Amino acid sequence: MLLNVYTSSTMRSMIFAAQHRSLEDKAQLLVTALLQTDELQEYSVRQTVNSMEHINTTRTIVTDESAVALYDSLETGSAQGKLVLFPEIMTALGGDDVFFCRFEQEAVESRTAVPLMRNGELLGVVYLMEYDTDQGALISALQRNVLSISVALEIAIILMSFFFSTAFSRRMQRILHSVRSMRGGDYANKIRIKGHDELARLGREFNELAERLDASEQQRRQFVSDASHELKTPLASIKLLSDSILQNEMDAQTQREFIEDIGREADRLGRLTQKLLTLTKLDSALEEEREMTQAAQTVDKVVRMLRPLAKLRNVTIECNTQDATLMMVEDDLYQIVFNLTENAIKYNRNGGWVGINLTCEDENVVLQVADSGVGIPSESMNYVFDRFYRVDKGRSRAAGGSGLGLSIVHDMVKRNYGEITVEARSEGGTIFTVNLPAFEAKEDGV
């Protein structure tokens, strides 16, 4: 309806403007012709008006300065010789041009009044009036057409609004259904919404989130299952050994051996618990305050700590380090070097070799731990950093491994914005390479 009102008003304004120009032009022509006469008299005015046949109006009136009509084109009800007090004529007698136009009863009525001025003296007024039914019919027809179009558009808008709101509601119901399913633990219920609008993008983002949550839930379940299994083994051994001591008569030496076995299983359980606590700490969002760490000193500490184990297993350690500074907690670097070196010793051959190199390359500190051990099969290279993964389960258990050491190393390296890779040595064995960003301490004023 607003379109109808606006369009009708615009159409009327255009027609009124055209009427104004036309009627004003006619009035000015008549004024010009009348001013050429010596004196405004009824005879001279009538003669002048009749000579201008192209001025075709519904009514033409010419008055003198007293508003008395000198000429009136109406034959019936003529005001000639009478006082004409039309508002337009009275205003024009004040020296102003007047125009009035209105549309009613399917007709356009236009009126104009122009003062007759000669050398600043008011001689009279020219008044023209037109009553145009053709223009009125045109406006009425346009109004009806615009009204019909407006009604049709409003109906179309209502139908389209209903259609789109229904479609939107249906798509939102799909999303809400999937949200409720995911809240209940069903991450496989995907949202299938076609298109490229905001809801479609929301659906795709929701599906990606569901996939991540599903993967995280699977990892959590696998982690709980693996952790339970790993914890159950030493506990079962401790239970079996303690029951054997209580239920069987045995000499002091045998009891001592059983108690030593219980102690070893307890130590294994303690190590496993500590590693699980370390992984939990790494998974948390909190970060410890970083500090400047001298990498070479930390590597030397690890080597001194593990030389007795290497000597016990008849493994030689070679260590070459350069001075390098890292911005990380020293305990993180210690655990990275310790786990890599301890694995290299445990899974080495009798009389084997472990090489540790610490160098600075460009803006990185590179730590390499190589060994001459049994190596890692190529099919296992992509899984060695997974939690509880063991290349050889029997050998790992015999060496006291839990499958968590390399996972801890990987998470610590990532937390300190580094990278770790593993590759096989051509001579046999494995090389672990850790890249960490170096820290350059600048002097004051530099």
Side-chain angles (χ1 to χ4, degrees), residues 204-221:
R204 288 191 290 270
E205 292 292 335
F206 179 87
N207 290 339
E208 292 180 5
L209 175 61
E211 290 176 0
R212 293 194 190 100
L213 290 175
D214 188 27
S216 298
E217 180 65 16
Q218 295 297 330
Q219 291 176 357
R220 185 189 67 81
R221 291 177 180 176

Side-chain angles (χ1 to χ4, degrees), residues 112-259:
T112 187
V114 179
L116 281 164
M117 305 288 294
R118 178 185 291 167
N119 299 325
E121 180 183 359
L122 179 64
L123 302 178
V125 173
V126 172
Y127 171 85
L128 303 179
M129 189 271 283
E130 284 190 350
Y131 190 82
D132 194 338
T133 55
D134 293 337
Q135 295 284 2
L138 176 60
I139 293 177
S140 299
L142 288 173
Q143 284 183 333
R144 288 191 294 271
N145 290 336
V146 170
L147 177 61
S148 301
I149 294 173
S150 299
V151 172
L153 285 176
E154 289 178 2
I155 294 174
I157 290 172
I158 293 172
L159 292 176
M160 291 177 65
S161 300
F162 177 76
F163 171 77
F164 284 118
S165 62
T166 303
F168 179 84
S169 176
R170 185 165 54 250
R171 298 166 88 189
M172 282 300 300
Q173 287 297 327
R174 294 180 190 172
I175 295 176
L176 293 175
H177 175 71
S178 297
V179 170
R180 286 191 291 268
S181 298
M182 187 174 70
R183 186 175 59 190
D186 182 11
Y187 301 108
N189 191 352
K190 300 295 180 64
I191 300 175
R192 293 175 175 83
I193 297 180
K194 298 179 180 179
H196 303 280
D197 58 0
E198 287 77 7
L199 283 180
R201 289 196 294 270
L202 176 62
R204 288 191 290 270
E205 292 292 335
F206 179 87
N207 290 339
E208 292 180 5
L209 175 61
E211 290 176 0
R212 293 194 190 100
L213 290 175
D214 188 27
S216 298
E217 180 65 16
Q218 295 297 330
Q219 291 176 357
R220 185 189 67 81
R221 291 177 180 176
Q222 186 64 37
F223 178 79
V224 171
S225 175
D226 293 340
S228 301
H229 178 74
E230 293 297 330
L231 292 171
K232 182 175 66 176
T233 301
L235 288 173
S237 299
I238 292 172
K239 175 66 174 174
L240 178 62
L241 291 169
S242 61
D243 288 345
S244 298
I245 294 174
L246 293 174
Q247 297 174 4
N248 298 291
E249 295 290 337
M250 56 183 64
D251 55 36
Q253 180 63 30
T254 304
Q255 286 185 355
R256 182 181 181 85
E257 292 176 357
F258 273 51
I259 293 173

